[in-house]
Amino acid sequence: MTRADRILIAVLACAALLAWPLVASAGVASGEAVIEAPAGRTTIALADDAIYQVAGARGTVVVEVADGSVRVLESDCPDQVCVRTGAVSASGSVIACVPNGVVVRVGGGGSDGLDARVR
Amino acid sequence: MDSMLASVSTSVTRGSVVSRRVAVGSGLLAVACVLGLIEAAMPGLPLAPWLKLGLANIAVVVALAVADGATAAVVSLGRVVIVGLATGTLGTPVGLIAAAGAIASLGMMWALSSRGDAFSLVGWSAAGSAAHVLAQLVIAGPLVGSWSLMALAPASVLIALPLGALTGYLARTIVSRLTER
């Protein structure tokens, strides 16, 4: 690795770290999550266990809130990336189902003492 | 007489350069396709299931290092088309996202490689990997009708950088073996 390599990689990594809170949990309050779907945006409370049927671009995405964390239970999509992401609760966590255009973002910050967590 | 000999030897040299490029390019294209197919069959990474290691990029980096940008473009885009045909994703949103990533990565790596020795293969590959994931998220925006996927961008770039550096390191190891002989 050359000096320029190290500088380039460090700059890109810093840019990503700085951008994280701006894009991942922006506009979402602590203890809440938003479900963004083609039809619009829904805010959900992580304290209330519930199951949400979200209409995606290809079919239904089933989102479950249980024990303060959120996960995609099932989805009409070929690769099931969203389902395999599992349950998330940390601020800045994101679950995405690209084929359905559905994204779940967990808001807030500081509640677990961490600024961000790599998932 | 001399000039005729000179012209013959020039054409022979040029011919062998072209043959070498075709041979290296097609060999690396075959390697890229095999790696791409293996990766298409594998699930994503444990912590980030939307990302993959990017093994096929090893062949593109090697092409850029031992041949030129045009050869690397043939290896990269040829791989996208062939793997797309084989997996049935060519022309679908998944195929478009793959093509956008490949083009962005190729452009980034070509730009860095044309700066002489400033950047090594590890830097090309790491930055190419970051460009790859960003382009994929950008092109996925209009496809899914929402920019909300950009929320994945910071995490994706942070994971892509070390993975890109790893594949760049593997490519460098291969290139050093190739050029020793």
Side-chain angles (χ1 to χ4, degrees), chain A residues 20-21 91-92 109-110 112-117:
Chain A
W20 197 321
S91 165
D112 53 7
L114 299 173
D115 292 329
R117 182 182 292 174

Side-chain angles (χ1 to χ4, degrees), chain A residues 45-85:
Chain A
L46 293 182
D48 305 332
D49 290 5
I51 287 179
Y52 303 87
Q53 310 273 343
V54 183
R58 292 172 59 112
T60 308
V61 180
V62 181
V63 177
E64 182 200 49
V65 175
D67 302 325
S69 60
V70 59
R71 66 171 168 152
V72 173
L73 213 51
E74 53 184 275
S75 166
D76 286 330
C77 62
D79 46 21
Q80 301 287 304
V81 164
C82 47
V83 175
R84 286 191 288 114
T85 302

Side-chain angles (χ1 to χ4, degrees), chain A residues 16-37:
Chain A
L17 277 174
L18 289 172
W20 197 321
L22 297 179
V23 296
S25 54
V28 191
S30 187
E32 289 184 343
V34 292
I35 303 173
E36 275 155 349

Side-chain angles (χ1 to χ4, degrees), chain A residues 12 15-16 19, chain B residues 50-51 97 100-101 104-105 108 127-141 147 149-150 152-158 160:
Chain A
L12 290 172
Chain B
W50 70 94
L51 291 181
I97 291 173
S105 167
M108 173 64 91
S129 172
H132 185 106
V133 295
L134 280 178
Q136 287 190 317
L137 292 173
V138 167
I139 199 83
W147 292 104
L149 286 175
M150 290 310 286
L152 289 173
S156 301
V157 168
L158 281 177

